[in-house]
């Protein structure tokens, strides 16, 4: 397939240049692009799937693998112990939390599973989840309803599709063990007000454990766990934060650190003292596993440093402008239906074409080196029904030429 010969005229809506810092936000897109080697031959708009790691991240991972090759894995881990500790501080700063609360995980789902096995649940306990919750969160919760008779309720959606916080406050008059809320879902551009959800959860008479899914917001939006008031926050490294695959983060708040152990412990989280006794690591490190990729963990920390240097506020502004640009064009074009809801919107743009399936579109654009993503209906049957959708998720390194290239191809193949 050939791309259209003449690009659509979008001259009235140009907002930046690939070659110069963005004056309105001080975002240095030139630096972002020169740190991202493949932008010259690839239009990557699947940052909600896995972003392109910037050069310092990839280099940090490779350098550690080389060190392991040269001196041995345990010896290499010892050598970077100080850097690892500084990296944990960087992760703590990124989420506005205490260093003690940071656990470096293999994925957000690994963090979720550890949380679920740690919080003591009994038959009849009630758990409530946001309507836009990710399938990977709902799956084990539904299993718990079957395995041990836990009760699972979905929070009412407000008129804009986000969690209705007043309705939640009302629902929390019934004793509730856990509340789950996704900050920015992966199948819709809405953003839930996780701080408002946190406020009513904290105020509830039987204060539930509050778990926030920040998979799509870490590295994209400012996050402040103290303001959110959560007991746990879990996130992926590979998405907007631009870390390596196989990384994630768990933040454990002070109440959870004081009242819960971590189950099951491995030799990183505890030590076997004698036949009857164990001692437990006092910090959130007890949620971690001993065996994991140190190289990937260092890459995650390098990604946190990188995002903080660029500035999360600048990244958030650029991601939002890129997403709104796509929404304004696709929303104005007759052949598209925009599915995004919410008053505040993330960098995740979800649409359906009236003529062409998301699968066909993604397949064809990939041949043109433009990466988009199919969101399967199973990622949120409550909100997507039984039909998949097309997701376009720009990052701050994407420039207008990237967006126009994708829009031109979308117009071309769906007309
Ligand atoms: C909103 C949301 N939550 C959770 C996850 C799971 O994250 P991970 O793949 O790091 O386990 C994803 C992954 O796509 C996601 O988009």
């Amino acid at each position: 397939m050939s791309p259209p010969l003449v690009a659509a005229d979008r001259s009235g809506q140009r907002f930046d240049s690939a070659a110069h810092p963005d004056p309105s936000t001080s975002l240095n897109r030139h630096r972002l692009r020169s740190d991202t080697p493949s932008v010259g031959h690839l239009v990557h708009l699947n940052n909600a799937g896995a972003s392109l790691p910037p050069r310092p991240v990839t280099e940090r991972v490779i350098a550690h693998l080389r060190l392991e090759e040269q001196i041995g894995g345990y010896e290499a881990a010892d050598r970077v112990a100080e850097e690892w500790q500084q990296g944990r501080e960087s992760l703590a700063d990124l989420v506005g939390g205490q260093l003690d609360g940071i656990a470096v995980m293999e994925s957000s789902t690994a963090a979720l599973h550890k949380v679920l096995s740690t919080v003591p649940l009994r038959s009849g306990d009630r758990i409530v989840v946001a309507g836009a919750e990710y399938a990977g969160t709902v799956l084990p919760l539904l299993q718990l309803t079957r395995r041990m008779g836990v009760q699972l309720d979905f929070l009412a959606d407000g008129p804009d599709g986000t969690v209705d916080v007043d309705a939640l406050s009302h629902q929390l008059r019934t004793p509730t063990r856990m509340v789950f809320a996704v900050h920015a879902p992966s199948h819709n551009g809405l953003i839930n007000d996780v701080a408002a959800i946190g406020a009513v959860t904290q105020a509830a008479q039987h204060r539930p454990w509050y778990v926030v899914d920040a998979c799509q917001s870490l590295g994209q939006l400012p996050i402040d766990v103290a303001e959110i008031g959560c007991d746990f926050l879990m996130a992926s490294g590979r998405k907007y934060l631009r870390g390596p695959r196989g990384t994630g983060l768990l933040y454990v708040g002070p109440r959870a650190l004081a009242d819960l152990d971590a189950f099951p412990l491995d030799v990183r989280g505890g030590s076997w003292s004698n036949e009857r006794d164990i001692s437990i690591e006092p910090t959130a490190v007890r949620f971690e596993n001993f065996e994991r990729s140190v190289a990937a963990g260092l890459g995650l920390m390098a990604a946190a440093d990188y995002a903080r240097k660029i500035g999360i506020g600048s990244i958030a502004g650029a991601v939002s402008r890129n997403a709104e640009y796509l929404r304004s064009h696709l929303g104005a074009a007759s052949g598209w239906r925009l599915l995004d809801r919410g008053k505040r919107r993330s960098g995740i743009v979800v649409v359906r074409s009236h003529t062409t399936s998301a699968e066909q579109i993604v397949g064809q654009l990939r041949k043109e080196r433009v990466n988009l993503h199919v969101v399967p209906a199973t990622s949120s049957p409550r909100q997507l029904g039984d039909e998949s959708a097309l997701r376009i998720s720009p990052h701050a390194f994407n420039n207008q030429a990237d967006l126009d290239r994708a829009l031109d191809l979308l117009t071309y193949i769906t007309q």
Side-chain angles (χ1 to χ4, degrees):
M1 185 192 69
S2 316
L5 293 176
V6 181
D9 179 14
R10 301 189 178 92
S11 51
Q13 298 179 52
R14 294 202 183 278
F15 53 80
D16 75 0
S17 143
H20 299 291
D22 183 332
S24 61
T25 62
S26 76
L27 179 86
N28 189 339
R29 186 168 280 117
H30 178 62
R31 173 177 172 194
L32 281 174
R33 288 182 78 79
S34 61
D35 285 340
T36 310
S38 53
V39 291
H41 59 84
L42 179 73
V43 174
H44 189 71
L45 297 169
N46 186 17
N47 295 286
S51 188
L52 303 174
R55 210 186 297 269
V57 170
T58 310
E59 281 171 1
R60 190 63 202 92
V61 174
I62 292 171
H64 192 75
L65 291 175
R66 288 270 173 249
L67 187 66
E68 289 184 341
E69 179 186 61
Q70 282 158 22
I71 69 168
Y74 283 26
E75 294 73 11
D78 286 346
R79 194 174 284 184
V80 299
E82 204 172 304
E83 179 187 345
W84 186 272
Q85 200 55 15
Q86 285 162 3
R88 292 184 63 237
E89 280 170 26
S90 187
L91 292 169
D93 284 347
L94 189 67
V95 297
Q98 303 281 336
L99 176 61
D100 278 4
I102 296 296
V104 178
M105 307 299 287
E106 295 78 2
S107 68
S108 177
T109 303
L112 167 75
H113 291 175
K114 208 63 173 236
V115 171
L116 283 179
S117 53
T118 296
V119 173
L121 290 168
R122 286 179 210 89
S123 174
D125 278 350
R126 179 172 184 251
I127 298 179
V128 294
V129 296
E133 209 61 50
Y134 180 65
T137 303
V138 176
L139 281 167
L141 294 178
L142 281 174
Q143 279 185 298
L144 286 176
T145 65
R146 293 177 188 181
R147 288 170 75 104
M148 56 187 301
V150 158
Q151 183 193 331
L152 181 65
D153 292 333
F154 285 87
L155 293 173
D157 290 344
D160 67 349
T162 59
V163 169
D164 183 334
V165 180
D166 292 336
L168 169 63
S169 168
H170 190 75
Q171 284 186 21
L172 290 182
R173 289 184 198 156
T174 308
T176 302
R177 195 80 171 139
M178 300 182 85
V179 171
F180 286 80
V182 58
H183 193 188
S186 49
H187 65 276
N188 196 287
L190 65 83
I191 298 178
N192 274 316
D193 187 346
V194 283
I197 296 170
V200 297
T201 301
Q202 282 185 339
Q205 198 188 353
H206 314 270
R207 185 173 162 191
W209 297 106
Y210 179 32
V211 186
V212 171
D213 174 348
C215 273
Q216 298 292 357
S217 49
L218 188 73
Q220 179 189 170
L221 299 170
I223 291 182
D224 182 342
V225 287
E227 191 192 323
I228 296 171
C230 53
D231 296 298
F232 299 98
L233 179 134
M234 56 212 184
S236 313
R238 70 182 182 281
K239 297 178 184 293
Y240 281 89
L241 187 57
R242 307 181 69 195
R245 293 205 65 174
T247 57
L249 172 75
L250 174 65
Y251 171 77
V252 185
R255 183 173 70 126
L257 270 185
D259 292 2
L260 300 173
D261 56 2
F263 184 83
L265 291 172
D266 91 344
V267 291
R268 189 165 176 81
S271 40
W272 187 21
S273 316
N274 58 48
E275 269 186 31
R276 299 249 170 254
D277 291 323
I278 57 171
S279 59
I280 300 179
E281 156 68 37
T283 73
V285 168
R286 65 180 181 248
F287 286 81
E288 296 182 359
N289 292 316
F290 171 78
E291 184 47 22
R292 40 94 176 280
S293 166
V294 175
L298 291 168
L300 173 75
M301 293 161 178
D305 282 344
Y306 187 82
R308 290 175 57 230
K309 270 187 209 137
I310 297 291
I312 296 290
S314 302
I315 293 172
V319 170
S320 165
R321 279 194 305 284
N322 278 345
E324 288 307 326
Y325 184 77
L326 291 167
R327 285 189 189 107
S328 68
H329 284 285
L330 292 170
S334 55
W336 295 94
R337 186 164 155 240
L338 205 55
L339 303 185
D340 295 333
R341 307 190 66 197
K343 278 189 269 307
R344 279 185 67 213
R345 285 167 173 187
S346 73
I348 291 173
V349 180
V350 182
V351 288
R352 283 194 181 117
S353 154
H354 295 323
T355 62
T356 317
S357 74
E359 289 79 0
Q360 276 176 299
I361 294 172
V362 168
Q364 292 206 42
L365 264 73
R366 197 173 283 187
K367 290 188 203 142
E368 302 293 332
R369 296 188 305 282
V370 175
N371 291 342
L372 311 183
H373 185 70
V374 178
V375 193
T378 51
S379 72
S380 178
R382 286 188 89 244
Q383 294 193 337
L384 287 176
D386 56 7
E387 200 189 327
S388 60
L390 178 70
R391 184 177 73 197
I392 317 173
S393 50
H395 209 301
F397 62 76
N398 292 116
N399 61 13
Q400 184 165 349
D402 286 351
L403 308 183
D404 287 346
R405 170 89 179 129
L407 288 168
D408 288 343
L409 285 166
L410 288 173
T411 308
Y412 184 78
I413 69 168
T414 58
Q415 64 198 354

